[in-house]
Amino acid sequence: MQIMPSTAKLIWPEERITKAKLFHIGFNVHTSMKLLRDLKDRYGDWKTVFGCYNTGRPIINRYAEKVYNHQIKFQKTAI
């Protein structure tokens, strides 16, 4: 979740975006989550949201398909 300065300015228009903020992990995560929520509210479809998050345009690309269809595989460990 590394955000671009232009994305940070879009999400936080009243806030001064400094280099320090852009390198702060909490700011990056918070901004990314807010962007995903805003995109979900706008488009309503997670595939479109993931494509837009990746490309900046509301398209469904291979990345969006891969993220949307990802299955978490758990491994059993011996105790």
Side-chain angles (χ1 to χ4, degrees):
M1 296 180 172
Q2 184 177 3
I3 57 168
M4 300 296 292
S6 57
T7 302
K9 289 176 187 173
L10 175 72
I11 299 298
W12 310 110
E14 293 89 32
E15 215 171 303
R16 184 170 170 264
I17 307 301
T18 63
K19 260 191 175 180
K21 275 191 179 178
L22 291 173
F23 287 104
H24 189 273
I25 188 68
F27 181 74
N28 274 263
V29 171
H30 189 199
T31 301
S32 295
M33 292 298 102
K34 184 168 180 354
L35 175 58
L36 287 170
R37 176 79 264 166
D38 291 350
L39 292 171
K40 179 67 164 85
D41 289 345
R42 183 174 183 180
Y43 297 111
D45 172 55
W46 281 113
K47 281 186 190 179
T48 305
V49 168
F50 297 143
C52 192
Y53 185 85
N54 186 47
T55 67
R57 296 185 312 260
I59 61 170
I60 298 173
N61 57 8
R62 275 189 260 155
Y63 166 82
E65 288 283 344
K66 185 177 178 181
V67 172
Y68 183 80
N69 293 322
H70 179 72
Q71 298 290 318
I72 298 173
K73 296 176 183 152
F74 295 99
Q75 290 182 344
K76 291 186 179 185
T77 57
I79 296 178

